[in-house]
């Protein structure tokens, strides 16, 4: 590998990113990749691709090696909480701290968007350290082991072979939809995520308290959704204490 302008590396091996874009699964969304250098989003890498009806995509970055931002725009999805088909009104983004000339699975979801927002607001922006810290914070607070490399299943059409990690991820995404739908004035996905980001950034001041606290509202949203979808009856997420969870809960 050789260093080139902007701190990126060039590899003779092609890098391919594949995965699922989901809020639930995004149909006909555009997925584009961008270089990340010096904590900011840089030039587009390769060509944009379009997701299929199940949110699947595959994007070739050529010989680029380095930090990558993936962005999903447009398309439509079935909202888990309401069952309505909605257009994606604001982008969903995902970050990969280092693409290194291999095939990598990368999910693009509301949780990766939350991590992007968190990292963007840290001093220095999208540095590798901030990217990893933001991803870990979101994973810990939702109880999802790996929000980037785990592919969430459709919470409304759960396959029998879904792993526990996929179920946890799907339930976390459905909980966000349920949470947003329960807020006043039909809060949008973007506004709902902003309130979660504010809580993660400042738990003592922005998470609220009692029954109106973010954690309590998320926990109630999870219960509401899981009651209607018994596939998730065995899944436990640490949402009651959202904003203050510093490590993943013990397995089992």
């Amino acid at each position: 590998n050789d260093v080139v302008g902007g701190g990126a590396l060039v590899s003779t091996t092609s890098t391919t990113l594949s995965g699922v874009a989901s809020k639930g699964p995004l149909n006909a969304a555009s997925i584009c990749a961008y270089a990340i250098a010096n904590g900011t989003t840089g030039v587009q890498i390769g060509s944009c691709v379009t997701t299929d009806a199940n949110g699947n995509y595959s994007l070739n970055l050529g010989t680029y090696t380095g930090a990558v931002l993936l962005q999903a725009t447009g398309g439509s999805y079935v909202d888990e909480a309401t069952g309505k088909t909605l257009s994606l009104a604001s982008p969903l983004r995902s970050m990969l701290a280092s693409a290194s000339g291999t095939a990598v699975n990368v999910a693009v979801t509301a949780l990766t968007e939350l991590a992007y927002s968190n990292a963007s607001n840290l001093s220095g922006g999208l540095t590798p350290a901030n990217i990893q810290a933001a991803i870990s914070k979101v994973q810990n607070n939702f109880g999802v082991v790996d929000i980037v490399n785990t592919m969430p299943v459709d919470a409304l059409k759960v396959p029998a072979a879904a792993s526990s990690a996929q179920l946890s991820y799907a339930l976390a995404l459905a909980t966000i939809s349920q949470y947003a739908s329960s807020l006043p004035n039909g809060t949008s996905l973007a506004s709902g995520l902003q309130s979660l980001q504010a809580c993660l950034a400042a738990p003592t001041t922005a998470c609220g308290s009692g029954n109106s606290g973010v954690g309590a509202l998320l926990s109630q949203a999870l219960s509401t959704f899981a009651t209607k979808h018994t596939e998730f009856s065995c899944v436990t997420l640490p949402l009651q204490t959202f904003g203050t969870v510093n490590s993943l809960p013990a397995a089992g």
Side-chain angles (χ1 to χ4, degrees), residues 54-69:
N54 296 312
N56 298 305
Y57 76 91
S58 183
L59 195 157
N60 194 313
L61 303 185
T63 56
Y64 175 84
T65 300
V68 179
L69 176 75

Side-chain angles (χ1 to χ4, degrees), residues 29-124:
S30 178
I31 307 292
C32 304
Y34 300 89
I36 297 175
N38 301 317
T40 62
T41 303
V43 299
Q44 182 176 328
I45 311 166
S47 300
C48 301
V49 297
T50 302
T51 60
D52 66 15
N54 296 312
N56 298 305
Y57 76 91
S58 183
L59 195 157
N60 194 313
L61 303 185
T63 56
Y64 175 84
T65 300
V68 179
L69 176 75
L70 284 180
Q71 179 171 277
T73 55
S76 62
Y77 64 97
V78 177
D79 182 76
E80 299 98 327
T82 65
K84 296 179 180 178
T85 298
L86 304 175
S87 297
L88 183 66
S90 56
L92 293 179
R93 285 154 288 210
S94 187
M95 306 168 294
L96 191 62
S98 179
S100 55
T102 59
V104 183
N105 289 329
V106 180
V108 185
T109 71
L111 291 194
T112 61
E113 171 66 19
L114 189 57
Y116 164 80
S117 179
N118 189 271
S120 297
N121 285 282
L122 296 175
S123 177

Side-chain angles (χ1 to χ4, degrees), residues 130-152:
N130 285 348
I131 289 172
Q132 295 291 6
I135 288 172
S136 293
K137 178 169 284 190
V138 173
Q139 288 174 169
N140 291 337
N141 278 275
F142 276 97
V144 178
V145 174
D146 187 343
I147 63 172
V148 175
N149 302 123
T150 297
M151 298 303 109

Side-chain angles (χ1 to χ4, degrees), residues 1 13 49 72 87 91 93 97 162 176 207 236:
N1 293 336
T13 305
V49 297
S87 297
R93 285 154 288 210
I176 290 176
C207 288
T236 302

